[in-house]
């Protein structure tokens, strides 16, 4: 090792679990280089783009063999130091290749080496006031009137180029319109507004009054909302995690908005993370309507340029609110004041492939590093969060009632043992539906299985239509006349006769949403039935169109999968039927009952809003199931308590910590050989505090033509587990058996498949 060298630690997108050391080229001023800039580096026999993570004065490698990093692509750091620090922690915690981690925080255009644009696009849009303005009011100011009329042409706002085509020298005129609150600036460039952390407060407030015209809110908060807002606002200058527990409609979003308002008034930014399914135009509109300031939204509809622009406006501080799903947790900011994470229990916060991380846990870490509060909201908090409340790491804030006094629906279990119901609908449920429909109300049926039927079998010889590449049955899609595998996507025509015995006696077994829909048409010929699942919503805009049909009252019966369970308000639904609660109860995953309880509460939450009390019926073959009983009789909180006790006794998370090493290969032996070698290797580092389980076949052993095995690591001590992983994981890359498999490590796995 040589001392006093100028060494660059560079992250390069590669599957290797380390950074790479380079020397600065002679034309590069080492001292001026900031971590967070991109450099062009030779890698293998090609050139690639790396990100400077740190500077060092020595390398573990022979300095004479180090290559030179040549061109520096950026003058200033792309990623601020807090994000670099966060990513460093993340790469270590998840034991994931750092190159993939750092680069996942950059927009694609920057990953590819495009230059950093120095300006984001600024757009101007009429405010509500501007839109409503009577033209005569601007009689005295024809130029303002002209500009106003020009902006009327652009409902989504216009950029400078668009306005230039209509009017010359319009900028001073625009300032006047902004002053009169007739126009909102919806995206601001860095040059126009610098939220300076060092500037004194007065200055910030003056800027703020201009850019963030916070409309006054008329709603009077409930006592519980007031208390929650106050607790959070008291902690704006320090780290604190809050769990905001309240059913849908209890006013959580209103709490978020008040907290964000306080943060914006301080001249700081708010990061809002929502589940994939929660990022709807309506949800974003609520934020835009409340605050007349720049909101950066990361949604899947953005093209790369727009994404970069939103990213820049977050990074330079010109966007006061940043809204996005999982990956937005890594968005750089100039002056972050709070993180809000809604529906914290939602599985979509966990990335389940590639770089596997929990955006919720990363968000808590980020808040901690930035010394700011984080608010985690849910009607059905995860057991992890509730455990953190019990151990006083998180502070619990509860919103007990629905705003406006709407009643909670009554939930009843419907014992369907020995009841004949080939289409999934019991006679009792059908009768209840008739009663509710007669009163002009809507009915929602929930079934977590799309397609017509989950199995096709031969009555004569017992043949079952099986996916050739997975351990799974083919699902029948009657309308399309196809059979499909929901695990690997295999898709083939429906057969008319048994391929084994040529019998025509092929029977479908069980029911999916498509079959239930068909049955409903026969039972209720005069009602319009709306099916919402992945098959009916694939087309762009289809989902919204179906929701419109529900909300306009055009459709009376809704049948759908979990797409229906979350977030949507159906004020006229008074009966919710859960067609099959048993699927989840029989799952091998230890989190299955937690998920089922969350799902039931979410589904039940669709009913009985406003003045119409709702009813929920759950069809089950397990009416005595203890957790189900607790859920129904005593509510989610009691259920969670009981479930946590079970977890503690079974030594499962959150009382212990898990990591799952998965391996898969076309060769049926290779995964086991790799995992055995891995386990053997661990003996070198093995501490008595980490228990190994496996190699064992994955719950679905064959999927998409690959055989899958796993090795589970469990420990009471997170530190011991990570100490082992830190030494062990890089060594796995070097095992010769590793070359024959695809393997991955999942720290804190959420699903065991
Ligand atoms: P959640 O996010 O928990 O589903 P919201 O904040 O969306 O709840 O509130 C549900 C509805 O009640 C919204 O229409 C909201 O405007 C309204 N609301 C929220 N708080 C109050 C309040 N204090 N007084 C009156 N209406 C409220
Ligand atoms: Zn047959
Ligand atoms: Zn398959």
């Amino acid at each position: 090792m040589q001392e006093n060298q100028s060494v660059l630690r560079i992250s390069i997108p590669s599957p290797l679990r380390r950074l790479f050391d380079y020397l600065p080229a002679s034309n590069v001023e080492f001292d001026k280089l900031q971590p967070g800039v991109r450099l062009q580096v030779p890698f293998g026999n090609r050139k690639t783009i790396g990100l400077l993570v740190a500077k060092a004065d020595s390398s573990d490698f022979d300095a004479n063999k180090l290559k030179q990093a040549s061109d520096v692509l950026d003058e200033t750091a792309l990623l601020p130091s807090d994000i670099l620090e966060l990513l460093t922690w993340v790469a270590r915690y998840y034991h994931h290749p750092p190159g993939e981690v750092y680069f996942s925080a950059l927009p694609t255009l920057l990953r590819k080496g495009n230059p950093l644009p120095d300006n984001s696009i600024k757009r101007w849009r009429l405010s509500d006031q501007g839109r409503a303005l009577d033209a005569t009011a601007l009689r005295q100011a024809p130029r303002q009137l002209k500009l106003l009329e020009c902006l009327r042409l652009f409902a989504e706002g216009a950029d400078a180029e668009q306005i230039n085509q209509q009017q010359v020298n319009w900028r001073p005129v625009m300032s006047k319109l902004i002053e009169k609150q007739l126009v909102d600036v919806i995206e601001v460039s860095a040059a126009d507004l610098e939220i300076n952390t060092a500037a004194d407060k007065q200055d910030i407030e003056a800027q703020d009054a201009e850019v963030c015209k916070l409309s006054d809110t008329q709603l009077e908060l409930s006592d519980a909302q007031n208390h929650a807002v106050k607790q959070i606002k008291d902690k704006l200058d320090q780290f604190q995690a809050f769990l905001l527990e309240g059913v849908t409609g209890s006013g959580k979003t209103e709490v978020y908005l008040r907290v964000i308002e306080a943060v914006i008034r301080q001249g700081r930014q708010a990061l809002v993370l929502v589940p994939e399914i929660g990022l709807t135009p309506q949800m974003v509109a609520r934020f835009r309507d409340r605050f007349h300031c720049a909101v950066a939204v990361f949604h899947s509809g953005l093209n790369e340029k727009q994404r970069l622009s939103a990213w820049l406006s977050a990074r330079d501080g010109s966007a006061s609110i940043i809204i996005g799903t999982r990956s937005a947790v890594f968005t750089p900011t100039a002056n972050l004041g709070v993180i809000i994470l809604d529906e914290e229990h939602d599985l979509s916060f966990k990335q389940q492939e590639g770089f596997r991380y929990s955006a919720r846990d990363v968000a808590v870490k980020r808040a901690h590093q930035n010394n700011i509060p984080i608010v985690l909201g849910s009607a059905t908090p995860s057991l992890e969060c509730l455990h953190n409340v019990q151990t006083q790491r998180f502070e619990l804030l509860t919103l007990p009632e629905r705003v406006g006094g709407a009643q909670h629906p009554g939930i009843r279990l419907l014992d369907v043992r020995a009841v004949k119901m080939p289409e999934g609908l019991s006679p009792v449920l059908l009768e209840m539906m008739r009663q509710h429909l007669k009163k002009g109300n809507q009915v929602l049926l929930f079934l977590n299985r799309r397609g017509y039927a989950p199995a096709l079998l031969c009555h004569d010889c017992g043949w079952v239509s099986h996916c050739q590449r997975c351990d799974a049955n083919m699902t029948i899609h009657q309308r399309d006349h196809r059979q499909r595998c929901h695990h690997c996507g295999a898709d083939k025509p429906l057969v008319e006769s048994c391929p084994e015995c040529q019998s025509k006696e092929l029977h479908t077994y069980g029911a999916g949403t498509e079959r239930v829909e068909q049955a409903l048409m026969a039972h209720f010929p005069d009602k319009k039935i709306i099916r919402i699942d992945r098959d009916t919503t694939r087309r762009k805009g289809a989902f919204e169109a179906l929701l419109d049909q529900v909300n306009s009252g055009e459709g009376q019966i809704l049948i759908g999968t979990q797409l229906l369970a979350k977030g949507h308000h159906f004020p006229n639904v008074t009966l919710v039927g859960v067609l099959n609660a048993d699927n989840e109860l029989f799952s091998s995953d230890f989190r299955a009952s937690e998920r089922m309880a969350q799902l039931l509460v979410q589904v039940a939450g669709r009913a009985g809003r406003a003045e119409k009390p709702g009813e929920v019926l759950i069809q089950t073959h397990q009416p005595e199931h203890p957790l189900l009983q607790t859920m129904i009789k005593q509510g989610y909180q009691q259920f969670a308590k009981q479930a946590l006790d079970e977890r503690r006794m079974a030594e499962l998370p959150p009382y212990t910590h898990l990591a799952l090493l998965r391996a898969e290969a076309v060769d049926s032996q290779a995964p086991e050989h790799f995992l055995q070698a891995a386990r053997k290797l661990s003996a070198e580092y093995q501490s008595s505090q980490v228990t190994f389980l496996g190699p064992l076949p994955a719950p679905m052993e064959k999927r998409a033509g690959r055989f899958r095995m796993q090795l589970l690591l469990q420990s009471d001590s997170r530190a011991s587990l990570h100490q082992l992983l830190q030494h062990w994981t890089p060594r796995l890359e070097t095992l010769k058996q590793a070359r024959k498999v695809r393997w991955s490590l999942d720290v804190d796995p959420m699903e065991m498949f």
Side-chain angles (χ1 to χ4, degrees):
M1 195 189 292
Q2 271 173 297
E3 294 292 326
N4 295 324
Q5 280 275 336
S6 304
V7 175
L8 305 173
R9 295 259 144 85
I10 293 182
S11 141
I12 288 170
S14 101
L16 296 174
R17 278 172 175 71
R18 57 188 182 87
L19 298 175
F20 298 86
D21 288 355
Y22 285 86
L23 298 174
S26 50
N27 61 347
V28 172
E29 274 187 81
F30 182 73
D31 292 335
K32 286 208 179 138
L33 271 186
Q34 289 177 13
V37 298
R38 290 170 299 170
L39 297 110
Q40 188 120 111
V41 294
F43 188 69
N45 48 17
R46 61 191 168 105
K47 279 207 151 199
T48 189
I49 290 165
L51 188 82
L52 179 63
V53 171
K55 299 197 284 189
D57 53 20
S58 68
S59 172
D60 292 343
F61 297 91
D62 183 354
N64 298 321
K65 290 201 181 136
L66 292 186
K67 291 184 192 156
Q68 285 192 346
S70 48
D71 308 311
V72 183
L73 300 186
D74 304 298
E75 281 172 30
T76 55
L78 291 188
L79 296 174
S81 58
D82 63 331
I83 293 294
L84 281 177
E85 201 183 314
L86 181 70
L87 294 168
T88 302
W89 178 85
V90 164
R92 276 205 199 116
Y93 184 83
Y94 291 104
H95 303 275
H96 195 74
E100 291 180 15
V101 173
Y102 289 102
F103 276 78
S104 71
L106 291 178
T108 312
L109 288 176
L110 297 181
R111 265 182 242 176
K112 286 186 188 153
N114 286 39
L116 184 71
D118 55 5
N119 241 335
S120 55
I121 308 157
K122 186 167 173 171
R123 299 166 75 82
W124 294 266
R125 187 178 59 186
L126 290 186
S127 66
D128 290 346
Q129 216 176 318
R131 239 169 279 138
L133 191 82
D134 181 13
T136 53
L138 285 178
R139 247 191 340 254
Q140 309 293 338
R143 281 168 55 77
Q144 288 178 33
L145 183 61
K146 183 166 180 223
L147 187 54
L148 191 93
E149 292 305 325
C150 157
L151 287 177
R152 271 195 214 287
L153 304 175
F154 302 93
E156 298 302 322
D159 60 23
E161 212 175 285
Q162 288 164 326
I163 303 172
N164 280 337
Q165 291 173 4
Q166 313 271 339
Q167 197 164 355
V168 291
N169 195 20
W170 49 270
R171 283 181 192 267
V173 186
M174 187 68 87
S175 303
K176 286 274 183 306
L177 291 179
I178 293 170
E179 224 166 79
K180 293 182 180 170
Q181 310 200 353
L182 298 173
V183 168
D184 293 329
V185 182
I186 44 183
E187 265 162 61
V188 193
S189 73
D192 285 301
L193 169 76
E194 291 224 305
I195 296 181
N196 186 347
T197 48
D200 71 6
K201 210 142 182 230
Q202 286 247 294
D203 261 18
I204 287 173
E205 269 164 14
Q207 275 176 352
D208 187 54
E210 223 172 86
V211 181
C212 310
K213 284 165 227 124
L214 301 162
S215 53
D216 295 327
T217 50
Q218 294 91 24
L219 287 185
E220 196 167 324
L221 294 185
S222 68
D223 288 348
Q225 284 175 317
N226 255 326
H227 173 74
V229 172
K230 182 175 178 313
Q231 290 300 105
I232 302 165
K233 272 162 75 171
D234 278 353
K235 301 270 171 70
L236 284 188
D237 294 310
Q238 65 189 82
F239 167 68
Q240 175 66 50
F242 295 94
L243 171 60
L244 180 63
E245 185 179 13
V247 296
T248 317
S250 62
K252 290 188 298 295
T253 308
E254 190 58 37
V255 170
Y256 304 152
L257 292 169
R258 299 294 171 112
V259 170
I260 291 171
E261 180 181 329
V263 166
I264 294 176
R265 281 196 191 285
Q266 288 186 335
R268 299 164 83 184
Q269 296 164 282
L271 174 62
V272 181
L273 300 171
V274 295
E276 270 156 21
I277 209 161
L279 188 57
T280 59
Q282 294 88 318
M283 183 263 168
V284 172
R286 220 168 144 189
F287 283 79
R288 286 209 207 269
D289 289 349
R290 178 68 64 93
F291 306 104
H292 296 267
C293 64
V295 180
V297 185
F298 292 91
H299 58 83
S300 55
L302 297 182
N303 63 32
E304 292 308 337
K305 244 175 128 174
Q306 292 167 324
R307 192 169 292 276
L308 176 59
S309 161
W311 187 85
L312 288 170
S313 67
R315 173 179 170 274
D316 66 29
S318 50
S320 299
I321 304 176
I322 299 118
I323 306 178
T325 52
R326 181 171 71 220
S327 61
V329 71
F330 299 114
T331 312
T333 47
N335 189 10
L336 192 59
V338 71
I339 301 176
I340 311 269
L341 191 140
D342 194 29
E343 309 285 353
E344 64 80 20
H345 64 276
D346 197 283
L347 255 191
S348 72
F349 285 117
K350 174 77 197 279
Q351 178 139 309
Q352 308 270 25
E353 52 195 37
F355 167 25
R356 293 169 172 78
Y357 66 94
S358 154
R360 177 192 64 206
D361 298 348
V362 173
V364 172
K365 182 70 189 175
R366 181 167 180 182
H368 187 253
Q369 282 187 348
N370 287 41
N371 216 22
I372 55 169
I374 176 167
V375 184
L376 306 159
S378 178
T380 50
S382 63
L383 296 185
E384 280 84 2
C385 260
L386 289 171
H387 178 63
N388 280 326
V389 169
Q390 282 179 358
T391 55
Q392 300 185 342
R393 277 189 288 257
F394 290 8
E395 185 177 330
L396 178 66
L397 303 168
T398 313
L399 302 180
E401 270 144 46
R402 287 186 174 192
V403 174
Q407 287 174 10
H408 293 281
I411 302 184
R412 260 206 300 154
L413 291 180
L414 204 58
D415 184 353
V416 291
R417 280 175 296 189
V419 177
K420 282 226 161 53
M421 38 178 231
E423 302 136 347
L425 300 159
S426 66
V428 177
L429 178 61
L430 285 169
E431 180 48 34
M432 292 288 292
M433 288 177 67
R434 267 180 217 113
Q435 289 175 17
H436 279 259
L437 291 168
K438 215 158 79 192
K439 290 186 198 144
N441 295 327
Q442 290 173 316
V443 173
L444 186 158
L445 301 178
F446 175 82
L447 177 59
N448 226 354
R449 185 187 273 153
R450 69 193 166 91
Y452 183 83
L456 179 71
L457 54 83
C458 171
H459 192 59
D460 286 332
C461 78
W463 168 85
V464 177
S465 182
H466 209 79
C467 176
Q468 251 131 49
R469 309 171 67 221
C470 303
D471 289 331
N473 291 338
M474 299 296 276
T475 298
I476 307 312
H477 289 251
Q478 193 87 281
R479 184 171 302 174
D480 300 345
H481 226 72
R482 310 289 296 178
Q483 39 179 334
R484 298 191 178 117
C485 173
H486 288 186
H487 302 282
C488 72
D491 187 336
K492 48 188 192 182
L494 211 49
V495 285
E496 302 291 340
S497 56
C498 173
E500 295 286 324
C501 73
Q502 279 68 50
S503 159
K504 298 269 183 204
E505 284 291 310
L506 294 181
H507 293 232
T508 53
Y509 179 80
T513 47
E514 191 188 320
R515 182 171 196 172
V516 175
E517 180 191 30
Q518 238 181 52
L520 289 169
M521 287 180 193
H523 285 291
F524 302 97
D526 58 333
K527 302 288 178 213
K528 181 160 170 72
I529 294 141
I530 295 176
R531 168 156 67 97
I532 297 189
D533 57 26
R534 233 178 334 130
D535 297 319
T536 62
T537 57
R538 205 159 274 138
R539 222 169 7 90
K540 200 170 175 237
F543 190 48
E544 288 71 22
L546 288 171
L547 286 183
D548 282 348
Q549 290 181 19
V550 178
N551 290 323
S552 69
E554 193 186 333
Q556 292 91 26
I557 305 175
L558 285 93
I559 164 81
T561 55
Q562 72 257 44
L563 281 185
L564 262 191
K566 295 172 197 172
H568 305 288
H569 296 196
F570 302 121
N572 290 318
V573 167
T574 54
L575 175 66
V576 170
V578 176
L579 298 191
N580 189 350
D582 300 342
N583 293 350
E584 333 288 324
L585 291 176
F586 291 123
S587 162
S588 61
D589 194 319
F590 70 87
R591 291 183 213 270
S593 60
E594 176 185 357
R595 297 239 169 83
M596 187 201 60
Q598 288 166 344
L599 198 62
L600 290 181
V601 175
Q602 301 281 347
V603 177
R606 306 300 119 223
R609 296 179 66 89
E611 298 74 37
K612 299 186 175 179
E615 248 182 303
V616 179
L617 281 183
I618 300 176
Q619 298 187 150
T620 176
H621 289 86
Q622 305 275 306
E624 318 293 339
H625 196 284
L627 284 176
L628 205 51
Q629 283 289 337
T630 309
M631 231 306 282
I632 306 301
K633 293 205 181 111
Q634 300 172 60
Y636 183 80
Q637 294 196 353
Q638 277 307 313
F639 157 83
K641 238 190 202 148
Q642 199 173 321
L644 271 172
D645 282 344
E646 285 189 6
R647 295 271 185 94
R648 184 163 30 96
M649 284 181 307
E651 297 185 17
L652 287 166
Y655 298 93
T656 58
H657 308 281
L658 301 180
L660 193 59
L661 181 64
R662 297 190 178 90
E664 57 173 52
V666 175
D667 177 334
S668 64
Q669 301 300 308
E672 182 161 11
H673 291 161
F674 167 71
L675 293 177
Q676 260 158 3
R679 180 165 182 169
K680 207 159 148 213
L681 185 65
S682 73
E684 290 177 37
Y685 313 105
Q686 176 88 266
S687 77
S688 54
Q689 302 208 45
V690 181
T691 315
F692 280 73
L693 195 72
L696 288 170
M700 184 180 288
E701 190 176 355
K702 193 175 160 208
R703 184 172 178 170
R706 293 168 169 272
F707 291 88
R708 311 154 78 230
M709 301 278 288
Q710 54 194 33
L711 180 60
L712 184 67
L713 286 69
Q714 179 177 35
S715 179
D716 292 344
S717 148
R718 202 191 284 276
S720 305
L721 178 62
H722 280 265
Q723 206 168 14
L724 170 78
L725 291 176
Q726 193 192 330
H727 298 291
W728 184 55
T729 319
R731 288 280 302 278
L732 297 177
E733 290 169 3
T734 65
L735 288 174
K736 71 172 193 298
Q737 293 89 341
R739 273 179 261 145
K740 300 211 169 109
V741 299
R742 273 195 212 155
W743 65 272
S744 63
L745 182 72
D746 194 349
V747 174
D748 304 331
M750 290 300 290
E751 287 185 309
M752 309 305 273
F753 57 83

